[in-house]
């Protein structure tokens, strides 16, 4: 699990669920494209510059013709609203959870 900052987010064409995120993981890892099924909970523009957590040690996966290079780490609350896991204060992008 690594911390990254979302630097771009947009809806995936022809999908009601997917958002395409471009995430900065710092110098060692760089940026990655991550697709996530959170479009019903977030507007893309509300995610820009948000720092949150991602799983990066997964095989690349294709969805809707696009490549996803990781997975957003999140959960749904009792009202099925998605909650992002985020550090309690800003940290260096790419930092690993311990």
């Amino acid at each position: 699990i690594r911390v990254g900052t979302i630097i771009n987010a947009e809806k995936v064409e022809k999908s009601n669920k997917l958002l395409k995120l471009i995430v900065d993981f710092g110098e060692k890892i760089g940026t990655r494209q991550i697709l996530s099924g959170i479009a019903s909970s977030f507007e893309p523009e509300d995610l820009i510059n948000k720092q949150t957590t991602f799983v990066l040690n997964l095989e690349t996966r294709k969805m809707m013709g696009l490549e996803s290079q990781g997975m957003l780490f999140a959960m749904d609350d009792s009202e099925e609203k998605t909650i992002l896991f985020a550090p309690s204060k800003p940290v260096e992008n790419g930092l690993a959870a311990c």
Side-chain angles (χ1 to χ4, degrees):
I1 298 171
R2 300 274 181 167
V3 174
T5 300
I6 300 168
I7 58 174
N8 191 33
E10 59 188 55
K11 291 185 177 187
V12 173
E13 214 174 292
K14 298 181 183 177
S15 174
N16 294 326
K17 296 180 183 181
L18 289 176
L19 292 181
K20 180 175 82 171
L21 310 174
I22 304 300
V23 184
D24 177 10
F25 290 102
E27 285 185 33
K28 289 183 182 178
I29 300 170
T31 59
R32 291 206 182 173
Q33 176 174 284
I34 297 178
L35 304 179
S36 185
I38 60 171
S40 63
S41 296
F42 296 97
E43 291 298 322
E45 57 272 11
D46 295 336
L47 295 170
I48 306 295
N49 296 319
K50 292 260 189 222
Q51 195 171 53
T52 189
T53 53
F54 300 84
V55 179
L56 298 183
N57 61 346
L58 304 170
E59 286 190 36
T60 300
R61 182 173 174 201
K62 282 228 177 198
M63 294 184 270
M64 301 292 294
L66 298 170
E67 191 174 275
S68 185
Q69 301 166 317
M71 182 175 68
L72 177 70
F73 197 65
M75 65 181 280
D76 287 342
D77 67 10
S78 60
E79 298 171 2
E80 295 188 23
K81 177 77 175 166
T82 302
I83 299 168
L84 303 178
F85 287 87
S88 59
K89 65 179 186 177
V91 297
E92 179 183 336
N93 286 331
L95 192 65
C98 18

